[in-house]
């Protein structure tokens, strides 16, 4: 479970206002949540606080009963293994094959090479990339690159999948495909949090929608659509 309790986040060099103000949000295990809001509303700050990349100025961020702001720097890499993250710009290593990109994520956590040899092809197969294992990221379409990024995010079996504008660089068909995959991932048990501007997509999906404005929640609706704002 994720809980933001009365969180304020003010960046050191931030002039006016705060990125988040008296921010409260609870996300239960197994939920699928969209976080929407204009640029500057505080969406990325939520993800950074969750990952322990930034600390709350006030209040606390609790993940599975752990106060994230209190995790020691040396323990953060372990904590972060609970999360898989995908980004708008995919962030694949461009000089490495798709297989190597995924393998890299497994090596970082010290996975056993024999289980890697079994798991990675299976993961790529599941995401429709069985034929692309030896390709470089630049040889793939945007949709395929995002699926490769998903393979990398999922290969260590995270409890939480965070997606930061995952469809920002994709055409409508690839966007829908990525969303369908996120639904599958959610159905298989992971909590999915998607930060997006893509209100058409949000409408289509009929999931919980948390709308932010100036660092506060202005709407939180189950099966919400943007048109209900
Ligand atoms: P969003 O993801 O919704 O676009 P952000 O969480 O990135 O919003 O930003 C929220 C507010 O915090 C904005 O006013 C932004 O300028 C400010 N902000 C974000 N990161 C920093 C930073 N590293 N230093 C100073 N201000 C920041």
């Amino acid at each position: 479970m994720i809980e933001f309790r009365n969180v304020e986040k003010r960046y050191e060099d931030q002039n006016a206002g705060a990125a988040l103000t008296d921010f409260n949000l609870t996300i239960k295990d197994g939920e699928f949540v969209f976080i929407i809001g204009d640029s500057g509303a505080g969406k990325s700050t939520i993800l950074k606080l969750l990952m322990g990349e930034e600390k709350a100025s006030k209040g606390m961020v609790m993940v599975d009963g752990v106060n994230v702001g209190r995790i020691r720097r040396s323990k953060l890499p372990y904590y972060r293994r609970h999360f898989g993250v995908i980004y708008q710009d995919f962030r694949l290593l461009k000089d490495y094959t798709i297989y190597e990109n995924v393998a890299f994520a497994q090596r970082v956590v010290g996975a056993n090479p024999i289980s890697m040899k079994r798991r990675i092809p299976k993961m790529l197969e599941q995401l429709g990339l069985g034929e692309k294992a030896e390709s470089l990221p630049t040889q793939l379409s945007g949709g395929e690159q995002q699926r490769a990024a998903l393979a990398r995010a999922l290969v260590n079996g995270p409890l939480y999948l965070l997606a930061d504008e995952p469809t920002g660089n994709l055409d409508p068909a690839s966007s829908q495909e990525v969303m369908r995959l996120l639904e599958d991932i959610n159905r298989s048990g992971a909590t999915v949090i998607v930060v997006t501007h893509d209100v058409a997509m949000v409408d289509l999906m009929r999931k919980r929608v948390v709308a932010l404005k100036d660092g506060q929640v202005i709407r939180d609706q189950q099966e919400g659509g943007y048109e209900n704002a």
Side-chain angles (χ1 to χ4, degrees):
M1 183 158 87
I2 291 172
E3 280 182 284
F4 285 77
R5 294 191 198 151
N6 306 106
V7 170
E8 179 178 305
K9 174 61 187 175
R10 191 178 288 274
Y11 291 97
E12 266 172 34
D13 53 351
Q14 200 168 12
N15 308 322
L20 295 175
T21 316
D22 196 23
F23 180 79
N24 287 284
L25 179 68
T26 300
I27 298 174
K28 297 202 189 95
D29 290 347
E31 279 200 271
F32 190 124
V33 186
F34 282 109
I35 297 178
I36 63 170
D38 293 341
S39 179
K43 305 182 299 296
S44 306
T45 299
I46 292 173
L47 300 186
K48 287 184 206 156
L49 290 171
L50 270 178
M51 298 288 292
E53 287 167 16
E54 291 285 344
K55 284 185 190 207
S57 314
K58 288 187 190 160
M60 50 185 168
V61 179
M62 304 288 294
V63 175
D64 297 332
V66 172
N67 183 339
V68 181
R70 291 263 172 96
I71 300 173
R72 267 191 280 153
R73 192 181 284 269
S74 62
K75 302 276 185 215
L76 275 174
Y78 297 95
Y79 165 74
R80 289 189 183 134
R81 287 178 196 178
H82 296 312
F83 295 88
V85 192
I86 59 169
Y87 303 92
Q88 176 167 9
D89 56 358
F90 321 128
R91 301 197 190 177
L92 296 165
L93 302 168
K94 66 177 174 40
D95 297 329
Y96 290 83
T97 65
I98 297 307
Y99 183 95
E100 284 300 326
N101 266 275
V102 180
F104 188 73
Q106 286 239 280
R107 279 196 204 104
V108 169
V109 301
N112 150 347
I114 296 168
S115 73
M116 272 171 60
K117 280 218 172 75
R118 269 201 309 268
R119 189 157 166 83
I120 298 172
K122 214 169 115 190
M123 199 77 234
L124 291 175
E125 201 64 50
Q126 271 173 20
L127 290 165
L129 294 169
E131 309 285 299
K132 305 286 180 179
E134 297 311 318
S135 301
L136 292 170
T138 49
Q139 297 171 317
L140 267 54
S141 70
E144 288 167 339
Q145 289 187 59
Q146 194 59 298
R147 280 186 274 140
L150 258 180
R152 182 180 57 183
L154 295 173
V155 75
N156 296 323
L159 301 170
Y160 301 98
L161 184 81
L162 310 182
D164 195 352
E165 297 281 1
T167 58
N169 279 321
L170 303 182
D171 58 64
S174 307
S175 299
Q176 283 191 24
E177 193 175 71
V178 166
M179 283 296 155
R180 267 198 301 273
L181 288 166
L182 292 178
E183 269 194 307
D184 287 346
I185 292 158
N186 178 241
R187 245 179 252 123
S188 65
T191 304
V192 175
I193 302 175
V194 183
V195 162
T196 187
H197 275 102
D198 191 345
V199 291
M201 186 59 64
V202 170
D203 271 347
L204 212 63
M205 298 281 290
R206 315 307 301 175
K207 303 288 186 194
R208 179 178 175 193
V209 180
V210 175
L212 293 190
K213 190 174 187 217
D214 300 333
Q216 287 191 303
V217 176
I218 53 165
R219 190 164 56 90
D220 184 350
Q221 231 167 10
Q222 295 297 332
E223 296 186 37
Y226 181 73
E227 82 277 14
N228 299 323

